[in-house]
Amino acid sequence: MKAIVAFPVFLIVVVLDQITKLVAENTMVTAGTPKAVFGEWFRVALVYNPGAAFGLHLGPYSRWIFMGLTCGALVILGKLYQQTEDTDLRRILAIVLVAAGAIGNVIDRIRSEFGVVDFIDIGFGTHRWPTFNVADMAVSGGAILLAIVLWQEERRELAALEAAKHTAGSLSSDSPDLAP
């Protein structure tokens, strides 16, 4: 069941990410020059990000450091995926979105020494969000969903633990005293 959800979502995100990046690179000749799409609040602007989210850059080895960190994150996501019940569609979707987005950006890091292709530019006037791409949206959306899912799981586990303590406490107080 997991693969029925996971594989198509993974494939769609990675393919959509790569196609939109190729279109951005082939249609936006001047890097960094924004073009309005829906007024000034939604623009496209070709930017190469050699670092990580929000332009975090760790020097000349950023490309390799972030590829290594991504591979580590993918291993953790793989273990989470294996531990996930077949029926937990929200958790499966969250894990797959994060993994697909991570793979989309790793492809860029492998493909080009310039870094990840970003092209979506939103904001108002000089107040702009850092330029991003489809993979970034998948990672962010998946991470938020995964945080919510894991938080809800923890709340359920704590509630079950409290209920078990309450039940155990009431059972011990209801027991007749067997001492002579």
Side-chain angles (χ1 to χ4, degrees), residues 35-107:
K35 294 179 186 177
V37 176
F38 298 110
E40 283 298 307
W41 72 271
F42 185 93
R43 309 181 308 191
V44 291
L46 180 61
V47 176
Y48 292 94
N49 181 359
F54 305 108
L56 177 65
H57 191 59
L58 301 176
Y61 299 107
S62 284
R63 175 181 182 195
W64 304 107
I65 292 168
F66 291 123
M67 275 199 288
L69 290 172
T70 301
C71 289
L74 288 169
V75 167
I76 293 168
L77 289 168
K79 289 182 183 201
L80 273 175
Y81 177 80
Q82 289 174 341
Q83 295 169 355
T84 301
E85 297 292 326
D86 285 354
T87 57
D88 195 346
L89 297 181
R90 290 186 323 144
R91 185 170 169 169
I92 293 166
L93 180 62
I95 292 167
V96 170
L97 285 172
V98 175
I103 291 292
N105 284 337
V106 162
I107 290 170

